[in-house]
Amino acid sequence: MRYREIYQRIRDAIAEGKLVAGDRIPAARTLAAELKVARGTVDAAYTLLAAEGFLIGKRRHGTFVSPSARPRRPSSTAKSFLGTSQPPDLRYLFGAPLPLTPDLPSFDQFPRKLWYRTVSGQARKSGIPQLTYPDPLGLLALRQAVASYLAIARGIHCAPEQIVITGGYAGALSLVCRMMLRPGLRTWIEAPGYYFTKSAVELVGGVAVPISVDEEGLNVEEGIRIAAEASLCVVAPSNQFPLGACLSLRRRVALLEWAAHSGSWIVEVDYTGEFRYDGQPLQALKSLDSADRIFYVGTFSKTMFPSLRLGYLVVPLSQLSVARDLTERLYGALPVLEQYAMTEFIMEGHFGRHLKRMRTLYSARRSALISAISRVFAARLDVLPASGGLHLVARLKEDENDALIEDFAGAAGLRPLALSKMGQGTPREQGLLLGFGNLPDGEALSIVRRLRGVFST
Amino acid sequence: MRYREIYQRIRDAIAEGKLVAGDRIPAARTLAAELKVARGTVDAAYTLLAAEGFLIGKRRHGTFVSPSARPRRPSSTAKSFLGTSQPPDLRYLFGAPLPLTPDLPSFDQFPRKLWYRTVSGQARKSGIPQLTYPDPLGLLALRQAVASYLAIARGIHCAPEQIVITGGYAGALSLVCRMMLRPGLRTWIEAPGYYFTKSAVELVGGVAVPISVDEEGLNVEEGIRIAAEASLCVVAPSNQFPLGACLSLRRRVALLEWAAHSGSWIVEVDYTGEFRYDGQPLQALKSLDSADRIFYVGTFSKTMFPSLRLGYLVVPLSQLSVARDLTERLYGALPVLEQYAMTEFIMEGHFGRHLKRMRTLYSARRSALISAISRVFAARLDVLPASGGLHLVARLKEDENDALIEDFAGAAGLRPLALSKMGQGTPREQGLLLGFGNLPDGEALSIVRRLRGVFST
């Protein structure tokens, strides 16, 4: 197909820095005449490039290379990224992972052979019942296994019928938002917080109200002061994203009382609650939920690996029929093979052993990253003392631009994330999220040196 | 857990007909005292039973066995189902398939070993890049394979970048509704039609406008007359569900002209377009889409098997960036292993060969079902002459109740579906959808005889 050649040539020119942000490209008619192809062929190529963010059309002024299109290495155009207030481009997550990407689990130490042997074993055992439409709530055996796991690991006692198997954290949060929100209803979100949360709330017409976070976690008093009537509160009590605070007991009690009193609902996001490096993991907030106000969200993306696309939601007893009705109407059922394999992986004890190994591994990788930063940056970077999760947060000086550093680091083959992009519309702090879960052993120092090279002074 | 025993005892009592619809069950406090358990234990059991539709609570009047709870065999309570106007309970699709279930593909002749060998081979080849977050638009290699397949099999010429891999038909339709509808916007739906369509439109606040269907398919003139300003039209041109009509050329042209003229969008549902038993499959409406107004939806649920949960959406060029933005915000990515395996299955020619075998098989099963009906029912049932798809439609006499027959057939271990439930709010015809895709060879006659036994005369 000829249009693909045109498409590819322009992409290559951008990648090689021959075309840079703001450059005007030839009118489709001119290029078509020059290449002796139909006008529609060039149009198709331009449309694709525009859809992928490489080109932008300005009405009557022509077509230009987009400011967000960037060459593979830093160039003089990098200044155009200064002062961006865009949310992070989620595309950084897709494809081969770069060092320092926040919140990726270890890929090098994941027991791939054991996992795929489990998958293949389940595939061999699959018969006709495994081919038909699966229950949109998830495989019952997996829901039972997750219920047992949650009781032991997170102090949550629930019936398997309360569990919905979802497409990761995103699937679980989307489901809760569609169940509980209506246009105009307000939701507390943590600021800074996980960028996906705001998006999920707003996609169903909900209004996200950013609530600040401090060393005790979500500022519950502030939430009650500015939005007591909110319908929903999305909170990560075990390990706040991105700052890593743990919600204090005082605030846990206040939050539960608010929800019970106002008839509001809490979404407990527990995406890395399993990983804590100073003592035992804390029990989930859900373990205290005697008033049945909490939707609990967990994911296998961090404890296993992201492309598995499995997460789980614990639904309050009173909302079970709403959950069943909506999952049937949406019919977002997941492929069953992974669900069977995950069930066996848990039941055979592989999952528990893997978690135990990963806790030790991540603790060591975290220490290695802290040492390397201290050695290379000395007091130049201020690392927050978070004791869980899969990334560190380093604060920058006030006059520094974390988004610019993120861009330059990206060009240097590293993927720290700018803290300011997690601000959810509130005043933005400058900092970097530095992932250590997937940091190769023995490479912390060389990677941190590469990061140092990105800083101007 | 004690509450599960209580739960199971009540379920058993309903299944065995000891408790029937409308029976009052003891107050939780009374039962708790009787069984010497905590009140909360009984409450938990009742809540679960209510969530699953076995019980209903009537404020101040107590708790009752639900009208929709039914014993495993017909009983005197069956009359309470008379005149139901409920949409079909989708749960019929989950779990082991019963004979005559509409629109299931063959499970007995699906090449399970070949498929799972392909899956296991891909599992063995998986490395670190296969573990990380997948592109929410789907694996590019699969999108390329689907684009090639669509060009050859359905006459659709599109770029791989226009294809989104989705969780079956449901995932694709939900995505289009979320992209293109806003509260209050109107959508033409076929009446009778696929029950999921109305649900998907209404979940985003859209207004479904039922348009009648005749032997030329969707009545486009009627649509233009009563809702010319609609934003969307969902249509199955190759094989209308459930009546099997094929949209006439005259109406295809009228529909495309309407969309181009009014700036509306068409969703072409092509869920069994591959299966046609009198000559070659028709080309898709999308193959005529020079104005770029059609979202094309296909699924592997019928051509492969449902628990694979893979479908595909072809997005108009002008809507590509909207599709990318929304899929990233929703992050409903699918597990990658099935996507790699499906790619190989297509590229190695297994998929094409399987389709060819299934066309022959389904043609024979369709003939066997028609012969058996003619032999057992003589002129008692009027079978429509649809020439594609995976089910037949048999019209009932005016004074018969298809929902009641569906219920009795269910109790006899068969799963025809009542045509009246597909009416989408319009006047309802009485009839039965009789699936033949999964009808075991040599059993058509005995199965149809069992169905005959359900009829009163």
Side-chain angles (χ1 to χ4, degrees):
Chain A
M1 267 182 281
R2 192 64 190 266
Y3 80 88
R4 287 197 64 84
E5 288 168 36
I6 301 170
Y7 164 87
Q8 198 56 53
R9 268 199 236 172
I10 295 177
R11 277 196 67 154
D12 290 347
I14 293 170
E16 290 157 13
K18 290 177 192 162
L19 281 172
V20 299
D23 279 0
R24 185 180 181 143
I25 63 163
R29 187 165 29 184
T30 315
L31 188 61
E34 200 174 299
L35 298 176
K36 300 196 176 59
V37 298
R39 162 79 187 267
T41 306
V42 179
D43 280 339
Y46 283 14
T47 306
L48 272 182
L49 288 160
E52 297 185 347
F54 291 102
L55 300 182
I56 47 168
K58 294 185 183 168
R59 207 169 287 272
R60 291 194 221 185
H61 292 88
T63 303
F64 298 83
V65 176
S66 160
S68 62
R70 53 181 120 159
R72 291 209 190 93
R73 312 202 173 285
S75 79
S76 60
T77 63
K79 285 217 174 64
S80 66
F81 302 122
L82 257 164
T84 172
S85 64
Q86 288 298 306
D89 182 345
L90 294 180
R91 261 165 272 188
Y92 82 88
L93 281 169
F94 317 146
L98 296 182
L100 300 181
T101 305
D103 296 295
L104 291 182
S106 164
F107 295 134
D108 54 341
Q109 298 289 314
F110 179 77
R112 285 208 309 279
K113 282 194 179 162
L114 176 60
W115 169 251
Y116 287 119
R117 207 157 57 226
T118 308
V119 171
S120 299
Q122 287 297 331
R124 266 194 309 278
K125 274 192 251 175
S126 289
I128 287 176
Q130 279 73 39
L131 295 178
T132 190
Y133 284 93
D135 189 330
L137 293 175
L139 186 70
L140 185 58
L142 179 56
R143 294 157 74 199
Q144 287 164 338
V146 169
S148 307
Y149 165 72
L150 289 178
I152 297 165
R154 312 296 297 124
I156 296 170
H157 296 278
C158 66
E161 288 79 3
Q162 285 178 261
I163 292 177
V164 184
I165 304 299
T166 64
Y169 166 66
L173 186 65
S174 293
L175 181 61
V176 178
C177 287
R178 294 186 82 163
M179 282 174 69
M180 308 312 289
L181 291 179
R182 298 289 169 272
L185 292 184
R186 301 174 85 190
T187 298
W188 299 1
I189 61 167
E190 297 171 324
Y194 187 49
Y195 29 86
F196 184 79
T197 308
K198 185 164 184 270
S199 172
V201 167
E202 291 174 350
L203 269 173
V204 296
V207 178
V209 183
I211 307 294
S212 71
V213 166
D214 60 24
E215 62 286 347
E216 285 188 72
L218 178 76
N219 193 326
V220 175
E221 304 79 41
E222 180 184 312
I224 294 173
R225 199 167 62 243
I226 65 177
E229 83 301 350
S231 304
L232 209 62
C233 161
V234 184
V235 61
S238 309
N239 183 33
Q240 201 271 333
F241 180 93
L243 298 178
C246 173
L247 194 66
S248 65
L249 184 59
R250 187 173 69 84
R251 288 208 178 142
R252 286 177 188 234
V253 172
L255 184 63
L256 288 167
E257 276 177 3
W258 164 75
H261 181 74
S262 64
S264 307
W265 300 95
I266 298 165
V267 182
E268 173 174 18
V269 178
D270 197 26
Y271 78 114
T272 52
E274 284 87 353
F275 302 123
R276 181 148 291 277
Y277 313 112
D278 56 357
Q280 283 299 302
L282 300 161
Q283 293 226 319
L285 181 62
K286 177 75 184 166
S287 68
L288 303 174
D289 183 29
S290 55
D292 199 34
R293 305 307 302 174
I294 300 184
F295 290 84
Y296 172 90
V297 173
T299 178
F300 290 119
S301 293
K302 313 300 178 185
T303 50
M304 293 284 290
F305 58 95
S307 77
L308 183 58
R309 304 309 311 130
L310 289 180
Y312 39 90
L313 171 69
V314 182
V315 177
L317 276 169
S318 67
Q319 301 303 308
L320 281 183
S321 55
V322 181
R324 176 170 270 287
D325 180 59
L326 188 62
T327 55
E328 285 179 5
R329 290 178 71 196
L330 292 170
Y331 201 66
L334 300 157
V336 292
L337 184 57
E338 282 84 355
Q339 298 187 59
Y340 278 100
M342 192 65 224
T343 307
E344 184 180 325
F345 210 72
I346 295 173
M347 299 308 285
E348 293 294 314
H350 301 315
F351 182 61
R353 281 187 290 275
H354 174 59
L355 277 181
K356 201 168 162 223
R357 280 188 58 230
M358 289 305 104
R359 266 187 217 110
T360 310
L361 179 75
Y362 295 151
S363 181
R365 288 183 171 183
R366 179 172 166 274
S367 301
L369 182 58
I370 293 175
S371 308
I373 291 172
S374 148
R375 190 159 152 195
V376 172
F377 281 91
R380 179 83 178 62
L381 275 185
D382 174 24
V383 177
L384 299 188
S387 56
L390 293 172
H391 72 259
L392 296 172
V393 176
R395 282 226 167 81
L396 297 182
K397 293 184 187 161
E398 272 187 16
D399 60 344
E400 285 177 322
N401 184 312
D402 58 2
L404 190 62
I405 292 171
E406 178 187 306
D407 275 326
F408 278 118
L414 303 172
R415 185 52 78 212
L417 273 195
L419 176 60
S420 66
K421 294 184 179 179
M422 319 289 163
Q424 317 242 37
T426 59
R428 292 179 279 130
E429 286 184 287
Q430 303 288 320
L432 294 175
L433 276 61
L434 304 166
F436 55 79
N438 194 37
L439 190 71
D441 298 320
E443 295 185 27
L445 198 59
S446 69
I447 286 169
V448 171
R449 281 192 178 125
R450 271 161 70 196
L451 179 67
R452 184 69 185 85
V454 166
F455 282 68
S456 48
T457 56
Chain B
M1 267 183 283
R2 192 63 191 267
Y3 79 88
R4 286 197 63 84
E5 289 168 35
I6 301 170
Y7 162 89
Q8 197 57 51
R9 267 200 237 172
I10 295 177
R11 276 196 65 154
D12 290 347
I14 293 171
E16 292 158 11
K18 290 177 191 163
L19 281 173
V20 299
D23 279 359
R24 185 180 182 144
I25 62 162
R29 188 166 29 184
T30 315
L31 187 61
E34 201 176 297
L35 299 175
K36 299 195 176 58
V37 299
R39 160 78 187 266
T41 306
V42 179
D43 280 340
Y46 282 15
T47 305
L48 272 182
L49 288 160
E52 298 186 347
F54 291 102
L55 301 181
I56 47 167
K58 295 185 183 167
R59 208 170 285 273
R60 293 192 219 184
H61 292 89
T63 303
F64 297 83
V65 176
S66 159
S68 62
R70 55 181 117 156
R72 290 209 191 95
R73 312 203 172 286
S75 81
S76 60
T77 63
K79 285 217 174 65
S80 67
F81 302 123
L82 258 164
T84 173
S85 63
Q86 287 299 305
D89 182 346
L90 294 179
R91 262 165 273 188
Y92 82 88
L93 281 169
F94 318 146
L98 296 182
L100 300 180
T101 305
D103 295 296
L104 292 181
S106 164
F107 296 133
D108 55 341
Q109 298 289 314
F110 179 77
R112 286 208 307 281
K113 283 194 179 163
L114 176 60
W115 168 250
Y116 288 120
R117 208 158 55 228
T118 307
V119 171
S120 299
Q122 288 296 331
R124 267 194 309 277
K125 275 192 251 174
S126 289
I128 288 177
Q130 278 74 39
L131 295 178
T132 191
Y133 284 94
D135 188 329
L137 294 176
L139 186 69
L140 186 58
L142 179 56
R143 295 158 73 198
Q144 286 162 339
V146 170
S148 307
Y149 165 71
L150 289 177
I152 296 164
R154 311 297 297 124
I156 296 172
H157 296 277
C158 67
E161 288 80 2
Q162 285 178 262
I163 291 176
V164 184
I165 304 299
T166 64
Y169 166 65
L173 186 64
S174 294
L175 181 61
V176 177
C177 288
R178 294 185 84 162
M179 281 175 69
M180 308 311 290
L181 290 179
R182 298 289 170 269
L185 292 185
R186 301 174 86 192
T187 298
W188 299 1
I189 61 168
E190 296 170 324
Y194 188 48
Y195 30 88
F196 185 80
T197 308
K198 184 164 186 272
S199 173
V201 166
E202 291 174 350
L203 269 172
V204 297
V207 177
V209 182
I211 307 293
S212 71
V213 167
D214 60 24
E215 63 287 346
E216 284 188 71
L218 178 76
N219 192 326
V220 175
E221 304 78 44
E222 180 184 312
I224 294 172
R225 199 168 60 243
I226 67 178
E229 82 302 348
S231 306
L232 210 62
C233 161
V234 184
V235 61
S238 309
N239 184 33
Q240 200 271 334
F241 180 92
L243 299 178
C246 173
L247 193 66
S248 65
L249 184 59
R250 188 174 70 84
R251 288 209 177 139
R252 286 178 190 233
V253 172
L255 185 62
L256 288 168
E257 274 177 5
W258 165 74
H261 181 74
S262 64
S264 308
W265 300 94
I266 297 165
V267 182
E268 173 175 18
V269 178
D270 197 25
Y271 77 114
T272 52
E274 284 87 352
F275 302 123
R276 182 148 289 276
Y277 313 111
D278 55 357
Q280 282 300 302
L282 299 161
Q283 294 226 320
L285 181 63
K286 177 75 184 167
S287 69
L288 303 174
D289 184 27
S290 56
D292 199 35
R293 307 306 301 174
I294 300 183
F295 289 85
Y296 172 91
V297 173
T299 177
F300 290 118
S301 293
K302 312 301 178 187
T303 50
M304 293 284 290
F305 58 94
S307 78
L308 182 58
R309 305 309 311 131
L310 289 180
Y312 39 90
L313 172 69
V314 182
V315 177
L317 277 168
S318 66
Q319 302 303 308
L320 281 182
S321 55
V322 180
R324 178 171 268 287
D325 180 59
L326 188 62
T327 55
E328 286 179 5
R329 290 179 72 195
L330 292 169
Y331 201 66
L334 300 156
V336 291
L337 184 56
E338 283 83 356
Q339 297 187 58
Y340 278 100
M342 192 65 224
T343 307
E344 184 179 326
F345 210 72
I346 296 174
M347 299 309 285
E348 292 295 315
H350 301 315
F351 183 61
R353 280 188 291 275
H354 175 59
L355 276 182
K356 199 166 163 227
R357 279 188 58 231
M358 289 305 104
R359 264 186 219 115
T360 309
L361 179 75
Y362 295 150
S363 180
R365 289 183 170 183
R366 179 172 167 274
S367 302
L369 182 58
I370 292 175
S371 308
I373 291 172
S374 147
R375 190 159 153 195
V376 172
F377 282 91
R380 178 84 177 62
L381 276 185
D382 174 25
V383 177
L384 298 189
S387 57
L390 294 171
H391 72 261
L392 294 172
V393 177
R395 284 226 166 84
L396 297 182
K397 293 183 188 160
E398 270 186 20
D399 60 343
E400 284 176 322
N401 185 312
D402 58 2
L404 190 63
I405 292 172
E406 177 188 306
D407 275 326
F408 279 118
L414 303 172
R415 186 52 79 212
L417 273 194
L419 176 61
S420 67
K421 294 184 179 178
M422 318 291 163
Q424 316 242 38
T426 58
R428 293 178 278 130
E429 287 184 286
Q430 303 288 319
L432 293 176
L433 276 61
L434 304 167
F436 55 78
N438 194 39
L439 189 71
D441 298 320
E443 296 185 27
L445 198 59
S446 69
I447 286 170
V448 172
R449 281 192 178 127
R450 271 160 70 197
L451 180 66
R452 184 68 185 83
V454 166
F455 283 68
S456 48
T457 56

